[in-house]
Amino acid sequence: MLVDMTNWVRPDPDAAFRRAVPAGRAPARDWLRRLDAWWVHGSPRAVRSAVRGTAALLLPVECVCCRRPDAVVCGRCARALRTACLRPRRVEHRAEALPLNPGNEPMPVIAAGSYEHELAAVVLAYKNHQMPALAGMLVPPLARAVKSALDTLAEPGAPVVLVPVPTRLQARNRRGYFPVGLLLGRLRRAGVLPEGVRVARLVRYRAARQFTAAQKGKGRRARGAVRNSMCARRRRTLDRLAGRGARVLLIDDVLTTGSTLAEAQRALAEAGLPACGAVVLAATPAPDEKRGVRSTR
Ligand SMILES: [Zn+2]
């Protein structure tokens, strides 16, 4: 008796690489195709995983939070991180340099969690220790905070733009990636953002030369390290968004004094589209909060 096996056989993952190429055309592509096919083939994959296993023996990995061996973030710390970020919170009272709204209130900021314990360790490793792979752990907390901001800060029905706060070119060159942009890109690709919400890099740091020119003639106080260091980009998109009544949410990784957010807000307001709020991954705990935590323990 013949049994139809097609339902049990998984589609061949290498099939795409075995597509027939017209003979005599693009030999270089043919060679690359073979290399690709070889690379994803079972046996080299086994060799690579063996090499990785040996490398883990020679260069042991350890948890970035608790230093336990064998995982970049161990199960216990991953669970603790998840629990710490379950409830996004308003944190604008913690930062004294935030811009003021017309009502003289600081710009509302929502944080996924406090910059302490596991969240601080993972954010630090992600940003400063060349571990972009940790983005996967930080996307869900950010998604939760963005959702909370969309529910409470944005007007229903109005289009919303998520604008990452830029990093300086120097820092970006050193890292080789843009931490906040990478997180937002993954968030967008995950397909969890509601309809009408888009991501756009509308603010950038001025080049050093422009920065010096912009600082000229300013008083000493106005010449802070951050002031006038950013400007808006993609003016046409900005004008179009302003015309449609879009609301802007700034996205940053860590909130300390709020001066970076203030500078990004200044650049956006100058271009005619001020942000209605901001979302950060983590906010440094206020001094009184720290004391409160300690006394309850
Ligand atoms: Zn751990």
Side-chain angles (χ1 to χ4, degrees):
M1 191 182 121
L2 270 174
V3 183
D4 185 14
M5 292 283 286
T6 45
N7 288 341
W8 285 286
V9 180
R10 273 198 309 162
D12 180 3
D14 300 348
F17 299 103
R18 280 202 277 277
R19 231 177 293 137
V21 169
R25 280 183 56 196
R29 196 179 293 170
D30 193 46
W31 182 81
L32 277 177
R33 195 175 56 100
R34 269 188 214 160
L35 186 69
D36 272 353
W38 176 81
W39 188 249
V40 295
H41 196 269
S43 46
R45 217 186 290 167
V47 171
R48 283 205 305 279
S49 93
V51 168
R52 221 174 288 141
T54 319
L57 278 181
L58 298 175
L59 302 162
V61 285
E62 51 181 26
C63 173
V64 295
C65 314
C66 66
R67 305 275 163 231
R68 229 180 302 176
D70 286 347
V72 179
V73 177
C74 71
R76 206 173 63 170
C77 294
R79 274 193 298 280
L81 174 71
R82 227 168 294 143
T83 318
C85 298
L86 278 181
R87 271 185 294 277
R89 56 217 86 171
R90 292 284 286 263
V91 288
E92 60 265 27
H93 57 278
R94 302 182 188 183
E96 67 271 19
L98 280 175
L100 298 179
N101 280 349
N104 238 9
E105 290 282 311
M107 178 170 79
V109 183
I110 290 181
S114 269
Y115 191 66
E116 53 190 2
H117 312 306
E118 288 83 13
L119 182 58
V122 173
V123 168
L124 191 74
Y126 171 62
K127 266 184 73 182
N128 294 353
H129 298 163
Q130 304 289 323
M131 295 173 122
L134 286 177
M137 306 223 62
L138 296 173
V139 168
L142 182 67
R144 219 168 269 133
V146 166
K147 188 183 175 299
S148 158
L150 290 176
D151 290 347
T152 56
L153 302 179
E155 260 167 52
V160 177
V161 195
L162 308 179
V163 177
V165 171
T167 45
R168 285 179 193 278
L169 193 65
Q170 251 173 330
R172 198 160 162 180
N173 286 344
R174 193 185 60 230
R175 288 192 190 109
Y177 57 99
F178 173 27
V180 182
L182 195 67
L183 288 178
L184 276 179
R186 288 190 66 155
L187 189 62
R188 189 169 49 80
R189 283 196 299 279
V192 290
L193 292 177
E195 191 95 341
V197 179
R198 52 175 291 192
V199 177
R201 297 182 186 182
L202 297 177
V203 187
R204 67 171 173 85
Y205 269 100
R206 286 181 210 270
R209 189 164 16 94
Q210 291 171 322
F211 177 51
T212 328
Q215 295 285 61
K216 227 169 236 168
K218 296 264 160 64
R220 178 179 285 214
R221 177 168 285 188
R223 270 188 282 141
V226 196
R227 190 122 178 89
N228 277 312
S229 57
M230 292 182 201
C231 60
R233 63 189 284 263
R234 299 174 63 190
R235 291 290 174 131
R236 219 174 290 164
T237 311
L238 267 166
D239 291 344
R240 207 177 51 235
L241 289 168
R244 276 195 282 159
R247 312 296 302 246
V248 171
L249 284 173
L250 285 165
I251 313 285
D252 204 0
D253 39 25
V254 181
L255 175 77
T256 38
T257 63
S259 56
T260 322
L261 281 178
E263 177 53 20
Q265 170 74 323
R266 190 200 56 76
L268 281 174
E270 216 176 65
L273 191 63
C276 61
V279 175
V280 295
L281 261 181
T284 45
D288 55 326
E289 259 176 316
K290 266 189 202 157
R291 227 178 296 133
V293 167
R294 225 166 278 150
S295 63
T296 51
R297 263 184 197 161

